[in-house]
Amino acid sequence: MASQGDPAIEPEFDTFSRILPLPFRVATIIVLGVWAWGLNLQYLRFLGIDVPSLIRYPARSSPLEPPHHFSTYRLATLLTLPLAFFLLLFWLVTHASRTLVPQWEILPNLYLLVLLGSFLLPLRALSQNGRYRFLHIMRRISVGGLAQPADGKFGDILLADVLTSYSKVLGDLFVALCMMLNRQHSTSRPNRGCGGQYIVPFLISVPFLIRLRQCLIEYVRVRRGIQTGELDERTAGWGGQHLANALKYSTAFPVTILSALQRGDQSHMGLGRTGLFRLWMLAVFVNSFYSFYWDVAKDWDLSLFDALWDSLHHSTYVSRKEYMNGSSSPTRYSLVSGDYPYGLRRNRYMHSPNVYYVVICMDLMLRCTWSLKLSPHLDHFNDLEGGIFVMQLLEVFRRWMWMFFRIETEWVRGLKGPAVDDVPLGNLDSRKLDED
């Protein structure tokens, strides 16, 4: 299996890197993320969902002040204009020439440094309050911290989940900075071994470690609440939801480790390329489908998998919990004339049920982009610099879609009242809010 950016596949100054060097790629995806967050805020506000209240962001002091998505768009615009200027200037002076591109690497390097610095500059025009709030949350969650519910726990979880989708972008950010510091041409094919063979895989794993620790913190809070009598285990559950969620994030580590081993010296492994590839396939399969199940059933509270279970038992709905307990009085649930469309939930804000079905299908497909490696014609797509960039964009796009429905779900749960242990995910042993 070829490694990412393998020189056997692409030369040192490959065509894609000459057109869009790594610093510009990283910057482009970061700036697109700001635009995407603005779209999240705007459309959810249109639906009547108050996102700032969910993440405990201060409300506007006056109705005359512009809504929050205006500030986000202003920041995105101020980041996009210099990006467009530097990129167009780079194209004009280099014409993708092998000799001129490395001579003008100062342009992409300078913009990347300007972009990173823009989050620290005390300028009100750059949405100062929002940037400082972002940095404050980043500082807290960078060590796996998690705020209390009243202090913005949901916002911490959202940002940490976003970081998991940006994990490879953060890895490339380190590579770009490392190449600058080591006087390597940042406009050449990225050296993802910069700093050592395993430093980039470790950095890619950090967002998943953050979420794993947050899940364990929530589990400890539930157990402590039960021990002190603040929570009733019969209604709050024993915290198994959080352990199952932690297990989901831990399935990302074998994928990262096996990917790193495939790029390194395999002679001492005793497995060879084929053995490592098969182990990687098993690991990525488990991670993808476990995560897809969690997206649909837990993060979005959709009843798709319960409905599929129902389909196996004709028109009588038997929940998995009832089945395991041997219940003789299953809940009746009509597949055709129920209270909500098949596989969804009763309370929804999107204008059409078809939106949910389309997003479910897209989420599954984007969770399984690794399957391209099974194609004899597309197996090297993920190894090309252009292919890596496309995969990163698709993952950020998937997370952008996910955000709409995750925030909608949290809003619906809040309208029905918080869970007893104020956990943002439904309890593993409890039915979802939309079940009878």
Side-chain angles (χ1 to χ4, degrees), residues 292 296 300 302 304 344 356-364:
F292 170 68
V296 175
W300 300 341
L302 302 181
L304 176 65
L344 304 185
Y356 295 86
Y357 297 131
V358 170
V359 169
I360 289 172
C361 292
M362 293 184 68
D363 187 69
L364 176 60

Side-chain angles (χ1 to χ4, degrees), residues 204-217:
I204 290 175
S205 300
V206 167
F208 298 94
L209 286 168
I210 290 173
R211 280 298 288 127
L212 187 150
R213 186 169 186 270
Q214 287 181 337
C215 293
L216 296 180
I217 289 174

Side-chain angles (χ1 to χ4, degrees), residues 112-234:
L112 183 60
L113 295 177
V114 168
L115 174 63
L116 297 178
S118 66
F119 286 92
L120 303 174
L121 295 176
L123 299 176
R124 293 189 61 83
L126 291 176
S127 303
Q128 182 177 0
N129 292 335
R131 288 183 295 116
Y132 282 4
R133 178 64 179 266
F134 169 78
L135 293 174
H136 175 72
I137 296 176
M138 282 290 291
R139 185 165 55 249
R140 180 168 58 232
I141 70 173
S142 62
V143 292
L146 185 65
Q148 292 292 337
D151 298 324
K153 179 177 70 173
F154 183 58
D156 286 10
I157 291 173
L158 280 183
L159 181 54
D161 271 325
V162 168
L163 289 180
T164 63
S165 291
Y166 268 83
S167 60
K168 293 183 179 179
V169 180
L170 295 175
D172 278 354
L173 173 60
F174 169 81
V175 170
L177 296 175
C178 181
M179 292 177 71
M180 291 183 207
L181 293 175
N182 286 276
R183 299 184 180 279
Q184 300 178 28
H185 290 302
S186 62
T187 52
S188 65
R189 177 176 48 83
N191 175 18
R192 292 186 171 84
C194 189
Q197 180 181 351
Y198 298 108
I199 184 66
V200 172
F202 171 74
L203 292 175
I204 290 175
S205 300
V206 167
F208 298 94
L209 286 168
I210 290 173
R211 280 298 288 127
L212 187 150
R213 186 169 186 270
Q214 287 181 337
C215 293
L216 296 180
I217 289 174
E218 293 204 84
Y219 170 75
V220 170
R221 287 178 181 176
V222 171
R223 299 307 303 170
R224 185 183 297 123
I226 293 173
Q227 292 173 2
T228 59
E230 297 176 8
L231 300 177
D232 184 351
E233 186 172 357
R234 291 173 297 180

Side-chain angles (χ1 to χ4, degrees), residues 45 287 312 357 385:
R45 182 175 184 267
N287 173 256
L312 297 176
Y357 297 131
E385 289 303 324

